[in-house]
Amino acid sequence: MSDTRSTADTTSEDTARKATRPRVGLFATCLMNVFRPSVGFASVKLLEEAGCQVEVPDAQTCCGQPGYNSGDSDSARALARQVIETFENFEYVVGPSGSCMATIRHDYPVLFADDAPWRERAERLAAKSWELTAFLHDVLGAKIPEGARFAHAATYHDSCSGLRGLGIKGQPRALLAGVDGLNLREMEDTEVCCGFGGTFCVKYPEISTKMVDDKIRNALDTGAEVLLGGDLGCLMNIAGRLKRINAPLRVYHVAEVLAGMASGPGIADARKESK
Amino acid sequence: MEIRSREFKQRSVFAIHDANLQSALDRARDGFIGTRAARAAELPEFEQLREEAKGLKNHILEHLDHYLEKYEAAVTAAGGHVHWARDAAEARRIVLEICKRHDAKTVTKGKSMISEEIGLNEALIANGMEVVETDLGEYIIQLAEEPPSHIIAPAVHKTKKQITELFAAHHDRPPKTSVPDLVNEAREMLRGKFFAADVGITGGNFLIAETGSSVIVTNEGNGDLTQTLARVHIVTSSIEKVVPTLDDATLLLRLLARSATGQETETYTTFSTGPRREGDIDGPEEYHVVLVDNGRSKMLGGRFREMLRCIRCGACMNHCPVYGSVGGHAYGWVYPGPMGSVLTPLIKGLDNSYDLPNACTLNGRCASVCPVKIPLPDLLRELRHMQHQRELSPPTQRHALALWRFAATRPKLYHFGERIATRALALAGRTKGRIRRMPFAAGWTDTRDLPAPTGKTFIDQWKARRGQK
């Protein structure tokens, strides 16, 4: 930006530019909020660098998926109404989770199938709700911040909800291709469930463990040092099992790597020092 | 077949620790998934065919009564007999009567899942008949006195070594170890049975309304021998298998083989229309079709109608990571995997099979390969909804959901709860970054560490940062 411009010019230009910057509501998923706030800050950084104004509405809690998938559609509807009211005035809603965003995009309109006014609102919200990497790549055509560097061999786990619900497959990979030094190695059965499945992993722990062991074996077979993915549920499941069996693979959310914010400990890694 | 779906949890844990089963499942998974993908890729119109098949089946289900009546008229015109069975007991009784009328001593069977569903073998055996399964897989499990664990590969859970031992124990011959030798030995054992059979019973992959034909597909030719060599041929089929025309059957056959075994077409696709006619060199003297409802018409009128599009290819279970981990016997009834987890509760009752709709991660892989695009995860979720409404789900789960709803619809309270949880978990994780043991979360921490929160919640940190600006 030129130094010679007057303050007044800059201000009006800023205002004009601000007017064209899409106003994005960040959907702060429950797991991210509690376990991995850095995923939220990485998402904000990526969105802001791609030219968005990001807000994090305080009135948000959960998308309602735990209720919906447990058969409690009434609870899911109550939460869906809350999400709709909280986010419907944004130009876009973006969340760093294929699973939560698939709930908003696909399940909300279904939940209100017999309730026309709410169904319309749900459909309008669904149409502008995006998983982070899909939004960056498909909507904004974003480039990865210059200087994003991650000099590691990594493998990418395709989380099921994002993959099959939202068609997320190429987007994170295309974005990761812009990260300097990153060497992506595809694992066998990368599209097969890791055994998380929300409450499945606590209701059927033996089956879940068998599935995550299969996932880990495939990931280790690639020789990668790092496993990446777009959903914290899967990543916490994989990281938790990796720690328990002392397997040498670190785990990050893809947003952390894309934003150049993956220099600290991975998920479930020891802190270097306590603060 | 007796339902044992209530034991799903125990059976699944047992299955995971069964080394033989695990090696058999690994082998099967690799074969089925790769070959299906290859055959689908070779056919540019594969996705379009799936869409057409879905449309065709929806049309049929919309007019099922019409096509069934048309089919019945065509079968009768071809000299055959159609019998209607409302439930399993009626279906057994009809088949038994036909067999008794012909004084049957030996009954051969081509593989038929509906006959498993109605418990036909037990009924025939109890009435003094010798029943011989002629599909190689079914023959193997009949010797082992086990039910099928898969709908197209019933003995998929067995290793070659186990089959060698099984044959050696039953055939009184030196043990064979190569697959061709084993297959030949089974073939020789079965040959005499085919000739001795009084009645041959097959399933029906499709029933064609315009011609009154029944269609079966096999890779061993056993179905042909079953239905042409016996004096009487009985087709057992569920009512939703009817299709309007030969062309329609062809559409579904193209999808069936590719989805099931990854073949372009099965080795034998056989159309039978009525009994032997004058001048025919073979074929049965009598031809009967038993049309079984057993819960289908109820499904037809409700929200599970889409399940009736199923053409029994097994692709959903081949691709299901849960089925691939525990095998079919864990599911405790005739139909395993995703399709079984929908069908079993609908046919045998929600309370008899609580775990089946729940033991699914909703990963959606089954729906992505289903040749007729049945939204299996949505149907499983719908069953969970019914379980919740009927209060079949555990009280602890319902209380937890009520509590979660109470908090989650009150953002301030929810964030307060998250703040407390974050602080407690961060403290428990300390500098290790993970928690090895958590009371009340044994399902997680028995086999996995729980990643610890890295600090304050995101929303708290966000507010603090924005507040500074």
Side-chain angles (χ1 to χ4, degrees):
Chain A
M1 204 179 282
S2 166
D3 297 333
T4 55
R5 263 184 274 180
S6 74
T7 319
D9 277 354
T10 315
T11 312
S12 70
E13 203 172 85
D14 271 359
T15 318
R17 207 185 41 173
K18 211 165 188 173
T20 63
R21 286 164 67 198
R23 204 171 138 258
V24 171
L26 182 75
F27 188 81
T29 76
C30 305
L31 293 179
M32 172 195 112
N33 194 35
V34 170
F35 289 97
R36 199 72 182 170
S38 57
V39 173
F41 289 109
S43 305
V44 172
K45 183 178 177 189
L46 289 163
L47 290 166
E48 286 185 341
E49 294 202 10
C52 304
Q53 315 174 56
V54 183
E55 290 175 41
V56 182
D58 206 17
Q60 62 175 311
T61 59
C62 168
C63 68
Q65 192 189 144
Y68 189 47
N69 286 347
S70 302
D72 186 356
S73 302
D74 286 340
S75 297
R77 259 188 292 275
L79 269 295
R81 283 193 203 98
Q82 181 171 290
V83 171
I84 292 169
E85 283 168 344
T86 307
F87 283 98
E88 64 189 343
N89 290 324
F90 286 94
E91 206 168 329
Y92 296 103
V93 186
V94 177
S97 158
S99 162
C100 308
M101 300 322 284
T103 298
I104 297 176
R105 282 187 74 123
H106 292 306
D107 300 334
Y108 282 13
V110 176
L111 276 167
F112 297 111
D114 302 324
D115 180 350
W118 276 103
R119 191 183 63 233
E120 278 172 32
R121 289 170 80 175
E123 280 168 358
R124 273 200 300 276
L125 185 78
K128 59 185 177 184
S129 296
W130 293 85
E131 182 275 342
L132 177 72
T133 62
F135 184 68
L136 291 170
H137 184 269
D138 298 348
V139 179
L140 300 179
K143 293 273 175 289
I144 288 318
E146 289 262 339
R149 188 172 162 70
F150 192 69
H152 297 286
T155 190
Y156 193 88
H157 163 64
D158 289 290
S159 290
C160 302
S161 310
L163 174 72
R164 300 195 183 88
L166 303 173
I168 292 163
K169 175 85 186 174
Q171 300 92 328
R173 289 173 172 79
L175 294 169
L176 285 169
V179 175
D180 194 23
L182 189 138
N183 165 14
L184 193 69
R185 300 181 184 179
E186 295 292 350
M187 68 175 124
E188 200 175 320
D189 288 344
T190 177
E191 295 189 354
V192 175
C193 177
C194 71
F196 176 65
T199 53
F200 173 86
C201 66
V202 287
K203 286 184 190 160
Y204 304 95
E206 294 85 1
I207 308 175
S208 172
T209 304
K210 155 82 169 76
M211 288 163 71
V212 74
D213 281 344
D214 289 346
K215 176 61 60 179
I216 287 171
R217 193 187 55 241
N218 288 326
L220 290 173
D221 281 351
T222 65
E225 309 150 72
V226 173
L227 180 140
L228 303 176
D231 267 276
L232 275 175
C234 318
L235 296 179
M236 287 174 60
N237 180 42
I238 297 168
R241 182 62 180 166
L242 281 165
K243 286 294 155 196
R244 182 60 60 92
I245 61 176
N246 289 318
L249 192 63
R250 282 179 297 143
V251 178
Y252 292 93
H253 191 284
V254 64
E256 297 174 295
V257 170
L258 295 174
M261 291 168 67
S263 54
I267 296 169
D269 280 343
R271 317 285 151 68
K272 276 165 191 155
E273 52 185 347
S274 62
K275 280 187 183 170
Chain B
M1 175 177 165
E2 194 190 339
I3 181 164
R4 302 183 72 182
S5 302
R6 279 174 192 268
E7 299 158 28
F8 175 83
K9 269 193 180 173
Q10 303 90 293
R11 291 163 80 94
S12 67
V13 174
F14 189 75
I16 284 169
H17 295 104
D18 180 340
N20 274 326
L21 175 65
Q22 289 301 325
S23 80
L25 287 172
D26 279 347
R27 205 191 50 243
R29 194 169 49 226
D30 293 349
F32 281 133
I33 292 173
T35 49
R36 177 205 169 271
R39 290 299 89 70
E42 282 165 11
L43 201 65
E45 67 270 37
F46 189 74
E47 284 309 307
Q48 191 197 324
L49 291 181
R50 287 177 71 200
E51 201 54 50
E52 281 176 30
K54 175 184 167 182
L56 168 66
K57 285 292 292 192
N58 283 346
H59 167 82
I60 294 165
L61 295 172
E62 198 71 42
H63 306 281
L64 191 61
D65 50 349
H66 167 75
Y67 288 118
L68 284 171
E69 282 169 19
K70 212 172 154 188
Y71 170 73
E72 181 181 27
V75 172
T76 311
H81 307 274
V82 173
H83 311 263
W84 301 81
R86 268 164 298 198
D87 55 23
E90 203 170 352
R92 284 194 301 267
R93 197 164 60 238
I94 293 165
V95 175
L96 205 54
E97 271 171 20
I98 300 169
C99 292
K100 279 182 176 168
R101 191 156 13 96
H102 289 273
D103 197 18
K105 290 182 184 60
T106 303
V107 175
T108 45
K109 287 186 64 214
K111 190 159 80 76
S112 154
M113 292 312 288
I114 193 78
S115 77
E116 301 282 351
E117 180 184 320
I118 61 175
L120 187 57
N121 285 11
E122 294 92 325
L124 297 176
I125 291 164
N127 281 273
M129 288 169 238
E130 185 195 16
V131 180
V132 185
E133 292 288 350
T134 63
D135 170 273
L136 178 60
E138 288 267 343
Y139 177 70
I140 291 166
I141 60 172
Q142 191 179 28
L143 293 185
E145 297 179 21
E146 288 173 23
S149 72
H150 190 287
I151 62 170
I152 59 156
V156 71
H157 56 283
K158 293 226 170 286
T159 59
K160 192 175 71 180
K161 187 164 170 282
Q162 288 175 314
I163 295 166
T164 295
E165 288 163 9
L166 198 58
F167 280 9
H170 284 84
H171 289 170
D172 196 23
R173 293 185 179 198
K176 310 284 193 308
T177 50
S178 82
V179 173
D181 285 347
L182 287 165
V183 172
N184 277 332
E185 186 170 305
R187 193 171 275 149
E188 283 166 28
M189 302 308 291
L190 285 168
R191 194 158 293 160
K193 305 291 182 189
F194 282 121
F195 287 114
D198 305 297
V199 174
I201 299 175
T202 66
N205 287 92
F206 304 106
L207 308 172
I208 300 168
E210 71 172 344
T211 59
S213 313
S214 54
V215 185
I216 53 165
V217 294
T218 69
N219 277 316
E220 300 156 23
N222 61 303
D224 293 24
L225 294 170
T226 302
Q227 67 182 34
T228 48
L229 294 180
R231 282 182 287 127
V232 179
H233 177 200
I234 304 176
V235 177
T236 52
S237 172
S238 49
I239 53 174
E240 78 278 11
K241 296 289 187 75
V242 69
V243 297
T245 67
L246 285 163
D247 277 352
D248 296 328
T250 311
L251 166 66
L252 297 179
L253 282 166
R254 294 180 79 192
L255 284 164
L256 177 64
R258 287 175 168 87
S259 302
T261 47
Q263 293 167 286
E264 285 180 45
T265 179
E266 270 85 0
T267 315
Y268 299 88
T269 302
T270 311
F271 294 69
S272 343
T273 316
R276 170 200 299 233
R277 272 154 288 193
E278 245 185 68
D280 282 357
I281 51 168
D282 59 16
E285 289 159 22
E286 273 185 35
Y287 175 85
H288 296 268
V289 183
V290 182
L291 288 174
V292 184
D293 185 323
N294 207 28
R296 267 74 171 180
S297 47
K298 205 171 140 205
M299 254 182 258
L300 190 66
R303 48 196 152 170
F304 294 97
R305 174 188 280 201
E306 290 187 278
M307 195 58 223
L308 294 175
R309 289 206 298 267
C310 180
I311 58 172
R312 306 289 189 268
C313 68
C316 60
M317 57 195 74
N318 293 339
H319 289 77
C320 173
V322 174
Y323 177 94
S325 297
V326 304
H329 284 161
Y331 292 80
W333 199 51
V334 182
Y335 304 107
M339 55 83 82
S341 296
V342 178
L343 278 178
T344 305
L346 293 177
I347 297 174
K348 301 299 278 186
L350 271 177
D351 45 348
N352 273 321
S353 49
Y354 175 78
D355 279 306
L356 303 191
N358 290 289
C360 161
T361 65
L362 300 177
N363 64 79
R365 205 175 178 212
C366 51
S368 74
V369 296
C370 174
V372 285
K373 296 194 169 186
I374 299 171
L376 290 156
D378 293 342
L379 300 183
L380 291 168
R381 205 192 275 110
E382 187 63 40
L383 287 165
R384 294 181 191 184
H385 182 65
M386 288 165 62
Q387 290 177 330
H388 181 80
Q389 279 187 321
R390 293 189 202 168
E391 303 196 350
L392 293 170
S393 46
T396 45
Q397 179 182 316
R398 290 201 304 282
H399 295 150
L401 281 167
L403 188 67
W404 164 79
R405 175 188 180 162
F406 183 84
T409 48
R410 290 164 177 79
K412 283 200 174 115
L413 175 66
Y414 196 73
H415 292 155
F416 176 73
E418 286 183 318
R419 201 172 295 143
I420 300 292
T422 303
R423 195 172 297 170
L425 291 172
L427 202 65
R430 288 198 187 82
T431 56
K432 287 208 176 83
R434 58 186 203 268
I435 299 157
R436 284 191 76 88
R437 191 178 294 258
M438 276 272 291
F440 314 119
W444 182 284
T445 53
D446 277 354
T447 58
R448 284 163 290 215
D449 290 357
L450 181 71
T454 50
K456 291 181 176 170
T457 68
F458 169 73
I459 288 181
D460 280 354
Q461 293 186 50
W462 172 265
K463 281 204 283 199
R465 283 195 201 184
R466 291 285 134 150
Q468 284 162 10
K469 282 195 179 174

